[in-house]
Amino acid sequence: MAVRRFRLAGWLVAAVCLLGGFAPSAAAAPKSVLILAEDPVVTYGALLRANIVAALRRDGAEPLNIYEELIDRNRFDNEEYDRQLVTLYKAKYTSPAPDLIVTITEPALDFVLRHRFELF
């Protein structure tokens, strides 16, 4: 009889935990978004970036960290610069990795596609 009560109590505790009665009330960790673009002076890029940030923040339900990087391939278009960017972004964004990566320009998209397995 005592074993039966112990099992019943164990099932009740498990059921309450599964239903969230004993779930910790810690705040959710913020999600992170990395926005990569080519150049800050491209008019459509600035407008698109503003709209993306506004859309991401619209709900406000989850904490959100938004990071932005300019890859500047117009000025520095060589393999050495690419390698340095990869090293920098590995240091900045691999622990933890961004939950979402948005590229605004084609050079930024090309960079992410070329180095996605190294970086993210």
Side-chain angles (χ1 to χ4, degrees):
M1 187 75 161
V3 171
R4 194 176 205 172
R5 277 191 227 147
F6 180 73
R7 283 186 186 163
L8 180 59
W11 280 107
L12 285 174
V13 168
V16 169
C17 288
L18 287 174
L19 293 174
F22 287 98
S25 61
K31 299 286 184 179
S32 63
V33 177
L34 174 59
I35 299 174
L36 289 174
E38 171 58 34
D39 193 330
V41 297
V42 177
T43 306
Y44 72 87
L47 182 60
L48 186 55
R49 180 228 160 261
N51 285 325
I52 289 169
V53 170
L56 289 169
R57 295 208 184 272
R58 188 169 298 137
D59 283 344
E62 287 188 50
L64 186 64
N65 294 325
I66 298 176
Y67 305 103
E68 298 180 62
E69 297 285 348
L70 300 173
I71 64 168
D72 207 9
R73 293 296 297 198
N74 285 332
R75 290 181 24 198
F76 305 103
D77 191 15
N78 60 58
E79 290 300 316
E80 176 60 21
Y81 181 71
D82 243 29
R83 190 183 61 71
Q84 290 175 356
L85 276 183
V86 168
T87 301
L88 175 65
Y89 293 165
K90 273 177 143 175
K92 290 177 79 173
Y93 300 111
T94 55
S95 183
D99 297 294
L100 174 66
I101 299 168
V102 178
T103 59
I104 293 180
T105 57
E106 190 173 342
L109 177 61
D110 290 342
F111 175 82
V112 169
L113 291 175
R114 263 193 326 275
H115 301 289
R116 68 184 173 265
F117 296 115
E118 296 170 76
L119 291 172
F120 312 111

